[in-house]
């Protein structure tokens, strides 16, 4: 349920932005979820719905998963993240702290752990639609 | 796009009385020893204490405290397990004994992630063992953590102090509170560090003599707390907080 902590962060940030923009109601929240984080979308959506405040009572949560792409800084090779053949514990560790990928993943071409996470890291608040 | 994690960090830390980052410009000056011993000393005095090892590349407090076989519980975030009466958090839960070669941006992201998801609950003190230098971790702590205090560690060496001088200057420029400066591993009487610290108008807490028996207490908390080193930490730091 560490998805709950991230959902809290999304709701808290949304409320802060809504207040800054003087919104009366939030209509839609677009959230991007990086594949590397391996969020359980069902739990995440459940947490979001449980954390609804009056300002968000009718808000629609639109979730989009962003594929994780990695690029080796040494040989420039690009590859897609995959949990296939990955040790369950390692997959869990990356789920909690995605940067742990640097501990366990290596460039499939040259074996370097010095790679960049081009896309698919973390949870992002993409946009908020609201009514004034 | 907005990173929602940044907004929740201070909420996660809102029930903590005092946050102390044990820091230095240089590595090898005894930050981890002082952070671990300080956390234990405060805990032995009845305070609720958390210890966070923020040195992601080279964590070491788990070795000092002999922490093995623990893992955070998952409950609306992650809850640091208890070790020797401390709520203890470290990257080693996830990296195990493997090297974690992280660049600046990754260090920042990992720090933000851990602060956003760790549920410390109510604590009197959170002691943070910082990585050396004035790089990403130091800047992130200053940027994200409201009300953070720095405890600065140096050795009697002019080389170590030269780096500490820059840390003190940075913190003073940014108006970040400094609990004080500790001179660790003293091998002879010299007023050099005290004078230099006072010249920078920072509080000098005192010196800790080089303790030849300290290495024998590694991994043995009871033994560690009986060392002269631990008594000095208690006298010059813990009692002043």
């Amino acid at each position: 349920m560490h998805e709950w902590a991230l959902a809290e962060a999304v709701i808290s940030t949304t409320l802060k932005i809504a207040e800054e923009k003087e919104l009366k109601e939030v209509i839609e929240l677009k959230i991007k979820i990086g594949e590397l984080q391996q969020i359980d979308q069902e739990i995440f959506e459940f947490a979001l719905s449980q954390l609804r405040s009056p300002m968000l009572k009718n808000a629609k949560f639109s979730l989009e998963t962003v594929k994780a792409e990695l690029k080796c800084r040494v040989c420039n090779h690009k590859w897609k993240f995959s949990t296939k053949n990955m040790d369950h514990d390692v997959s869990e560790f990356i789920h909690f702290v995605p940067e742990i990928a640097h501990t366990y993943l290596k460039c499939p071409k040259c074996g370097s752990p010095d790679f960049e996470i081009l896309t698919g890291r973390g949870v992002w608040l993409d946009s908020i639609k609201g009514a004034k | 796009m907005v990173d929602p994690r940044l907004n929740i960090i201070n909420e996660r830390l809102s029930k903590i009385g005092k946050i102390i980052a044990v820091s230095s410009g240089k590595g090898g000056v005894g930050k981890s020893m002082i952070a671990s011993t300080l956390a234990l000393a405060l805990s032995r005095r009845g305070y609720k204490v958390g210890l966070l090892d923020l040195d992601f590349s080279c964590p070491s407090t788990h070795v000092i405290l002999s922490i093995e076989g623990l893992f955070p519980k998952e409950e609306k975030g992650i809850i640091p397990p208890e070790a020797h009466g401390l709520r203890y958090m470290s990257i080693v839960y996830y990296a195990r004994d493997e090297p974690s070669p992280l660049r600046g941006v990754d260090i920042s992201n990992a720090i933000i992630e851990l602060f956003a998801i760790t549920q410390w609950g109510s604590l009197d003190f959170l002691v943070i063992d910082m990585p050396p230098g004035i790089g990403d971790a130091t800047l992130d702590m200053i940027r994200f953590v409201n009300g953070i205090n720095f405890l600065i560690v140096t050795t009697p060496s002019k080389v170590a102090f030269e780096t500490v001088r820059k840390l003190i200057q940075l913190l003073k420029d940014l108006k970040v509170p400094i609990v004080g400066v500790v001179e660790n591993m003293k091998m002879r009487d010299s007023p050099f560090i005290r004078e230099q610290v006072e010249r920078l108008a920072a509080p000098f807490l005192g010196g800790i003599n080089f303790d030849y028996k300290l290495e024998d207490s590694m991994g043995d908390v009871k033994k560690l707390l009986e060392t002269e080193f631990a008594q000095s930490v208690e006298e010059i730091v813990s009692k002043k907080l």
Side-chain angles (χ1 to χ4, degrees):
Chain A
M1 284 286 276
H2 114 282
E3 279 80 357
W4 188 282
L6 295 169
E8 265 183 335
V10 168
I11 298 292
S12 164
T13 307
T14 303
L15 292 175
K16 192 180 166 206
I17 293 171
E19 197 186 320
E20 280 167 11
K21 302 281 179 197
E22 297 177 348
L23 299 180
K24 279 189 182 146
E25 190 188 3
V26 175
I27 297 165
E28 188 182 10
L29 270 185
K30 282 192 178 168
I31 302 159
K32 289 196 170 166
I33 300 172
E35 187 193 18
L36 192 62
Q37 194 122 22
Q38 305 160 76
I39 292 286
D40 184 322
Q41 204 156 313
E42 214 173 291
I43 296 176
F44 187 65
E45 279 187 277
F46 173 75
L48 288 173
S49 66
Q50 292 294 301
L51 292 162
R52 272 179 203 272
S53 64
M55 167 89 78
L56 289 154
K57 67 178 188 296
N58 298 314
K60 182 186 166 203
F61 301 119
S62 303
L63 273 56
E64 183 195 337
T65 303
V66 180
K67 287 274 176 201
E69 191 179 21
L70 315 173
K71 183 186 173 192
C72 179
R73 284 194 173 98
V74 177
C75 73
N76 291 321
H77 177 67
K78 286 184 188 174
W79 75 101
K80 303 271 187 219
F81 170 75
S82 166
T83 51
K84 203 180 161 193
N85 300 327
M86 188 181 278
D87 180 275
H88 173 72
D89 283 350
V90 169
S91 163
E92 275 285 294
F93 298 159
I94 295 172
H95 164 63
F96 285 113
V97 185
E99 282 62 43
I100 284 296
H102 292 275
T103 307
Y104 299 103
L105 303 187
K106 307 275 183 278
C107 168
K109 202 173 162 196
C110 75
S112 171
D114 187 9
F115 58 82
E116 201 179 336
I117 302 165
L118 291 177
T119 56
R121 196 244 168 267
V123 173
W124 295 87
L125 190 49
D126 189 33
S127 65
I128 298 171
K129 206 184 279 177
K132 287 206 174 186
Chain B
M1 285 213 292
V2 177
D3 184 346
R5 300 171 302 168
L6 304 178
N7 201 45
I8 203 84
I9 289 176
N10 283 298
E11 210 170 297
R12 297 273 180 258
L13 304 172
S14 62
K15 292 180 192 151
I16 299 175
K18 196 163 191 174
I19 302 174
I20 301 160
V22 181
S23 189
S24 179
K26 261 238 176 295
V29 297
K31 289 183 303 299
S32 302
M33 284 303 301
I34 289 181
S36 304
T37 310
L38 173 62
L40 289 169
L42 289 167
S43 168
R44 296 302 181 269
R45 283 170 55 201
Y47 292 115
K48 272 205 244 170
V49 183
L51 175 62
L52 168 63
D53 194 328
L54 210 60
D55 194 342
F56 290 166
S57 297
C58 302
S60 59
T61 52
H62 64 292
V63 178
I64 296 166
L65 301 173
S66 185
I67 290 168
E68 278 174 49
L70 295 177
F71 198 74
K73 207 168 96 185
E74 206 181 342
E75 199 181 303
K76 294 187 175 176
I78 52 174
I79 299 177
E82 285 239 348
H84 311 294
L86 309 173
R87 283 183 209 160
Y88 180 75
M89 192 67 201
S90 167
I91 198 84
V92 294
Y93 295 134
Y94 309 106
R96 298 187 286 208
D97 287 334
E98 303 295 323
S100 295
L102 298 177
R103 285 181 180 265
V105 62
D106 302 314
I107 290 172
S108 268
N109 255 322
I111 289 175
I112 294 168
E113 192 75 27
L114 271 194
F115 273 85
I117 64 173
T118 305
Q119 302 276 13
W120 290 101
S122 162
L123 292 176
D124 295 306
F125 292 97
L126 174 63
V127 178
I128 305 175
D129 181 26
M130 297 290 292
I134 50 175
D136 297 271
T138 303
L139 294 172
D140 280 342
M141 287 303 93
I142 296 168
R143 180 161 65 124
F144 299 132
V145 180
N146 293 343
I148 194 161
N149 302 268
F150 278 74
L151 173 68
I152 300 173
V153 183
T154 183
T155 66
S157 159
K158 284 180 184 166
V159 178
F161 190 75
E162 193 47 38
T163 67
V164 161
R165 184 196 310 279
K166 293 186 174 80
L167 174 60
I168 296 173
Q169 276 172 2
L170 176 77
L171 297 175
K172 287 189 90 72
D173 286 350
L174 298 175
K175 297 184 172 49
V176 178
I178 299 172
V179 175
V181 179
V182 175
E183 182 183 5
N184 193 24
M185 302 185 201
K186 276 190 82 161
M187 293 169 85
R188 64 187 173 95
D189 280 334
S190 162
F192 174 73
I193 298 293
R194 176 189 288 273
E195 286 170 3
Q196 294 296 314
V197 171
E198 285 171 355
R199 202 172 288 171
L200 292 167
F204 178 77
L205 296 181
I208 300 176
N209 290 331
F210 191 94
D211 184 345
Y212 289 91
K213 291 179 183 163
L214 190 57
E215 190 60 29
D216 296 335
S217 72
M218 224 49 72
D220 185 336
V221 164
K222 190 172 171 285
K223 222 171 172 179
L224 170 62
L225 288 171
E226 287 165 358
T227 58
E228 279 178 35
F229 170 83
Q231 283 161 26
S232 299
V233 171
E234 172 76 24
E235 279 305 312
I236 70 170
V237 189
S238 171
K239 280 186 180 170
K240 289 176 187 164
L241 292 173

